[in-house]
Amino acid sequence: MIRASAPGKLILFGDHAVVYGEPGIATAINKRVYSTACELEGRKIIIESKDTGETIECGIRDKSKNPIVAAVQEAQKFSKSRSGVGVEINSQIPIGAGLGSSAAVATATIASVATLFNGKEPSTMEIAEMAYKADKLAHESPSGIDTAITSLGGTIFFKKGNISQLDSDPLTFVVANSGVRRNTSDMVLRVKNSIMDPRVALSMFSIGSLAKEARTVFMNKRPVDLGPLMDRGQSLLKDLGVSSTAIEDLVKLAKDSGAIGSKITGAGGGGCIISLSDDPEDLIKAFKENGAFAYSVRTNQPGVRIE
Ligand code: PMV
């Protein structure tokens, strides 16, 4: 039996634009998914998610668009295994909220299954490549930023085909959940349908430029300077059409309560916003007083690992 874990993530800059080759910045957070794999008699894959209560059962070679099945099959292909496998998932990350739950599940599962059948742990780059392949089967044109950050951990500057680690201390961000669950592929498709509009193309370029400015902020070790860049990022994401009334209300509440910067993380349309604040506890209190579910997370956390 092998247990692995992988972190959730925040996309600080570059949401959606990374799909079109612009740069982005993502960071691993202190909320993780745990995946435990064991060999089973017969040629079945059985996946049990303890948080959702869902069980998936299929043959080891069945074609499936389910992201966890795709992850198991990639890991088996890597390990040249034809054995049955059972996987149990325990997650601290909310689903469909922009915090990287599905990438973390895939990554932790690939690590546990590949280590079980391969006899040794694959490298984080090998895990990232397998997770990206599985993600491509399950999602609409993924950029690879989610599977890269959950595999590698830390804080990355990401441009398709090119990833570098940024030097950062762990920072505290406040996460507030709009309570609206959304589907990443639907949001990516919505943007894709308007990409021929020159204003949308320009917004993509501007979102990429913000990521470059933010890289300089990390290099200069002045994290408070990220705040205004986050606000500009949110305004560009709104222009792309991926914000919503619920998100704009949360952003306004954050700003009125003293946040230095506030924006969507991930695909938008619902899910979570992230805010930077001099006083995270005070901001969480303000969210809670207004009926929003909020908590703090720490960035720059370790990537996938065998427990
Ligand atoms: O799944 P989410 O909400 O973390 O969004 C993924 C980030 C996008 O840029 C919207 C899509 C992608 O593949 O990069």
Side-chain angles (χ1 to χ4, degrees):
M1 188 135 78
I2 301 285
R3 190 168 194 245
S5 76
K9 63 98 222 283
L10 307 179
I11 297 186
L12 301 179
F13 299 96
D15 324 61
H16 287 284
V18 282
V19 174
Y20 300 93
E22 291 295 334
I25 295 178
T27 186
I29 58 171
N30 58 341
K31 292 208 173 283
R32 301 183 77 84
V33 165
Y34 295 83
S35 169
T36 308
C38 63
E39 191 167 352
L40 292 182
E41 300 262 320
R43 290 160 67 85
K44 275 199 177 324
I45 296 172
I46 301 177
I47 299 161
E48 257 181 62
S49 177
K50 288 288 170 197
D51 315 281
T52 60
E54 205 187 341
T55 300
I56 304 162
E57 199 173 323
C58 65
I60 55 168
R61 291 284 180 268
D62 287 0
K63 284 217 177 321
S64 169
K65 279 203 153 246
N66 180 287
I68 320 178
V69 173
V72 171
Q73 290 174 333
E74 274 306 322
Q76 283 185 307
K77 214 190 293 170
F78 175 84
S79 323
K80 300 184 177 58
S81 160
R82 293 173 150 267
S83 306
V85 57
V87 175
E88 185 185 293
I89 309 286
N90 293 276
S91 176
Q92 303 169 337
I93 308 169
I95 295 169
L99 298 181
S101 148
S102 100
V105 169
T107 306
T109 297
I110 284 168
S112 64
V113 174
T115 305
L116 177 72
F117 291 120
N118 205 33
K120 69 177 178 36
E121 197 179 333
S123 72
T124 44
M125 270 328 278
E126 285 171 328
I127 294 172
E129 276 164 26
M130 284 185 258
Y132 182 50
K133 277 191 203 159
D135 205 19
K136 277 203 284 194
L137 286 175
H139 288 113
E140 175 75 27
S141 338
S143 65
I145 193 169
D146 281 12
T147 44
I149 186 60
T150 191
S151 303
L152 304 177
T155 301
I156 58 168
F157 185 79
F158 175 97
K159 197 170 183 320
K160 265 186 187 169
N162 200 342
I163 304 164
S164 54
Q165 282 286 346
L166 292 175
D167 190 17
S168 168
D169 292 326
L171 305 171
T172 299
F173 281 82
V174 174
V175 173
N177 199 328
S178 67
V180 180
R181 206 160 136 178
R182 83 288 178 287
N183 180 290
T184 299
S185 292
D186 292 347
M187 297 308 294
V188 170
L189 202 57
R190 192 195 288 185
V191 173
K192 197 175 178 182
N193 288 338
S194 63
I195 196 67
M196 297 314 280
D197 179 339
R199 284 167 306 181
V200 171
L202 190 61
S203 294
M204 289 299 179
F205 179 75
S206 304
I207 292 174
S209 300
L210 276 183
K212 289 183 205 156
E213 277 188 59
R215 176 175 55 177
T216 308
V217 169
F218 274 102
M219 285 170 174
N220 293 340
K221 298 217 163 285
R222 288 191 45 86
V224 289
D225 293 350
L226 295 174
L229 300 182
M230 289 170 68
D231 288 343
R232 277 162 58 198
Q234 175 58 23
S235 150
L236 289 164
L237 289 168
K238 192 177 170 197
D239 292 347
L240 280 190
V242 299
S243 197
S244 69
T245 313
I247 289 173
E248 289 304 316
D249 287 350
L250 283 179
V251 168
K252 183 169 182 321
L253 177 57
K255 297 300 296 176
D256 290 349
S257 309
I260 309 167
S262 207
K263 68 177 276 294
I264 289 166
T265 175
C272 293
I273 67 155
I274 52 171
S275 304
L276 197 56
S277 169
D278 284 335
D279 190 343
E281 286 314 312
D282 199 50
L283 182 56
I284 290 170
K285 202 164 142 243
F287 276 127
K288 288 187 176 162
E289 276 167 8
N290 284 275
F293 184 55
Y295 48 92
S296 64
V297 293
R298 297 281 284 164
T299 67
N300 210 42
Q301 300 295 310
V304 65
R305 64 182 179 214
I306 299 299
E307 294 290 329

